[in-house]
Amino acid sequence: MKRLFGLAALIAAQFPLTPTYAQTVTATIVPVQIDGGINSLFVRPLPPRPLMLPDGIVSISSGSIRYAWLTHPTTRYAHGVIGDAIEAGGLAVETENHAFLTLTLGADAVFEDRIALIVRLDSEDGVLVVKSYLERGAALAFVRADSNAIRIVAESAAIGTPHRWLNPIGIADFDGDGRDEIAAILTPHIGGQLTLYRQDNGALREAYRIGGFSNHSIGSRELGWSAIVDANGDGTPDIVVPDTERHALRIVTFAGGRFAELARVSLPAALASSLGVATHKLGGKPEVFLELADRQTYVLHFAN
């Protein structure tokens, strides 16, 4: 199974898909007591890096790109959907050879994100980030580094309207065909669409799209309200993401090229943290940890 990545066109695919619902997983959410809360399990604070966005998060990896972060704060895009009106005008990485490389956007766009996520897409190390155009709204951008520079090597079509945003979920082979897809929620605040992309000749093209999801609340700093797990143990990664109202978590799959909802679990309170994934020490099954507005930590269990 391919490595999954926490927090391109399929030519034969038709989208949007007609959903097929199959309750093939039993999912339960229970409160747990964790000293220090969920952050003590999943958050590794890192010191600020050069030119860093004030509220940015440093991404870390053991691959060819060791660190990545957003740079050059700017107010040229008056949107403020993730908490303030300051966005990033650039991106920086540090490579395994300790090279410090930067990329600066033109005046027509910003990186509308807090984290430049280090990922592996189609066996290539790179960075995934939200690039928003002042006149056309958000797009996904995949950035690669060589010994001398970093550059955007593939980009999705922009949403097409200013002040329309998307929030990435991560990368995996979600349909089991041996090729990676990037999962994201388009317009999570207005009829969120779960969309999967593939890299194809310098572009990120849609492979699947289906509605009924949201992984962000307007103004929230939390961007990780989703997770990638193999919930039903079939060897194909599944996606855990809230429904449109964020009152429940939906566990969904694209295995075999067909969308299905495996389970849906109501939330006893509003989400208040990113979702963290761990493997249970007994049995090796994945568990999803989260904190809710009742200030309680919960764990989502799966059983077949």
Side-chain angles (χ1 to χ4, degrees):
M1 183 171 135
K2 290 195 175 185
R3 182 180 178 187
L4 307 185
F5 292 90
L7 344 309
L10 175 61
I11 302 302
Q14 301 294 316
F15 57 87
L17 296 176
T18 300
T20 301
Y21 295 101
Q23 192 79 14
T24 59
V25 170
T26 300
T28 55
I29 185 169
V30 296
V32 293
Q33 183 64 43
I34 299 175
D35 293 339
I38 193 171
N39 285 348
S40 66
L41 296 179
F42 299 104
V43 176
R44 177 184 172 185
L46 296 171
R49 312 292 287 191
L51 310 173
M52 188 169 166
L53 196 67
D55 67 339
I57 300 170
V58 179
S59 185
I60 185 170
S61 168
S62 60
S64 61
I65 299 174
R66 294 301 171 86
Y67 301 96
W69 63 98
L70 296 170
T71 64
H72 295 86
T74 176
T75 58
R76 65 174 175 256
Y77 188 49
H79 193 195
V81 74
I82 52 178
D84 61 28
I86 301 173
E87 311 301 346
L91 167 69
V93 304
E94 182 180 330
T95 71
E96 60 183 341
N97 299 320
H98 307 292
F100 173 69
L101 306 173
T102 62
L103 181 156
T104 303
L105 293 176
D108 66 333
V110 297
F111 289 127
E112 194 176 11
D113 215 328
R114 293 183 62 209
I115 182 168
L117 185 64
I118 301 174
V119 297
R120 191 165 178 82
L121 176 64
D122 299 329
S123 302
E124 295 179 333
D125 290 342
V127 176
L128 184 67
V129 67
V130 179
K131 179 182 179 182
S132 289
Y133 290 90
L134 277 59
E135 301 297 330
R136 295 187 286 130
L140 277 174
F142 179 58
V143 181
R144 291 205 62 212
D146 57 30
S147 58
N148 299 312
I150 53 174
R151 61 187 180 91
I152 296 174
V153 297
E155 187 173 318
S156 71
I159 292 172
T161 303
H163 299 166
R164 294 293 182 266
W165 185 67
L166 61 85
N167 192 15
I169 294 173
I171 297 175
D173 177 9
F174 291 108
D175 58 9
D177 70 347
R179 296 173 291 177
D180 286 334
E181 291 87 30
I182 303 171
I185 303 294
L186 271 65
T187 60
H189 316 120
I190 46 173
Q193 304 277 317
L194 173 57
T195 307
L196 271 57
Y197 299 85
R198 284 209 185 93
Q199 185 175 211
D200 177 39
N201 293 323
L204 301 176
R205 305 190 193 278
E206 285 189 27
Y208 307 95
R209 185 196 290 200
I210 192 160
F213 302 89
S214 176
N215 62 348
H216 187 258
S217 176
I218 292 177
S220 174
R221 301 285 192 179
E222 293 289 349
L223 304 182
W225 289 356
S226 51
I228 301 172
V229 299
D230 182 6
N232 59 0
D234 66 352
T236 300
D238 309 309
I239 299 172
V240 180
V241 64
D243 64 0
T244 304
E245 294 78 22
R246 299 183 297 278
H247 292 163
L249 292 176
R250 300 180 66 182
I251 298 92
V252 302
T253 181
F254 290 87
R258 294 180 58 119
F259 172 85
E261 181 176 274
L262 301 176
R264 187 182 299 222
V265 181
S266 296
L267 294 172
L271 273 168
S273 76
S274 295
L275 275 57
V277 178
T279 300
H280 196 284
K281 61 184 179 181
L282 298 176
K285 289 191 175 182
E287 297 178 318
V288 178
F289 290 81
L290 57 149
E291 287 181 358
L292 301 182
D294 60 5
R295 299 188 178 183
Q296 174 68 56
T297 300
Y298 292 81
V299 60
L300 178 65
H301 297 285
F302 305 103
N304 305 103

